[in-house]
Amino acid sequence: MNKRYNLIPYETIVPAVNGSMDAITAVLTHYSGYINTLSRRVMYDRSGTPHIYIDEFLKLRIQNKLIQKIGNFRI
């Protein structure tokens, strides 16, 4: 694994493109922190205090888009 950029290894990308569920899970795990960051929303309570939460529906949509793009990826 590339220490400088923390890239996904080629040995994981190829099986993911070929449809291996273990490899796709590894890619989703690699990007889980970024997906959680993109899925954050702010909710305000009655007193106006903001609370940050993860929108699970949006998170699933992002994960599904990533899985679709993995399938379309050309090596």
Side-chain angles (χ1 to χ4, degrees), residues 46-61:
R46 292 179 192 233
S47 65
T49 307
H51 298 279
I52 297 174
Y53 73 100
I54 294 179
D55 185 351
E56 292 295 330
F57 181 70
L58 180 58
K59 182 178 177 177
L60 287 173
R61 287 181 58 197

Side-chain angles (χ1 to χ4, degrees), residues 1 3 6 10 13-14 16 20 26 30-31 39-40 44-45 48-49 54 56 59 61 63 65 68 70-71 73 75:
M1 185 176 289
K3 300 294 182 191
N6 196 20
Y10 182 78
I13 294 172
V14 173
S20 168
H30 179 80
Y31 287 111
S39 302
R40 283 193 222 162
Y44 296 93
D45 61 11
T49 307
I54 294 179
E56 292 295 330
K59 182 178 177 177
R61 287 181 58 197
Q63 288 174 338
K65 281 291 188 180
Q68 288 175 0
I70 290 171
F73 189 75
I75 298 176

Side-chain angles (χ1 to χ4, degrees), residues 16-17 27 62-74:
V17 170
V27 172
I62 293 170
Q63 288 174 338
N64 286 335
K65 281 291 188 180
L66 178 57
I67 292 170
Q68 288 175 0
K69 294 300 177 183
I70 290 171
N72 294 337
F73 189 75
R74 302 218 176 161

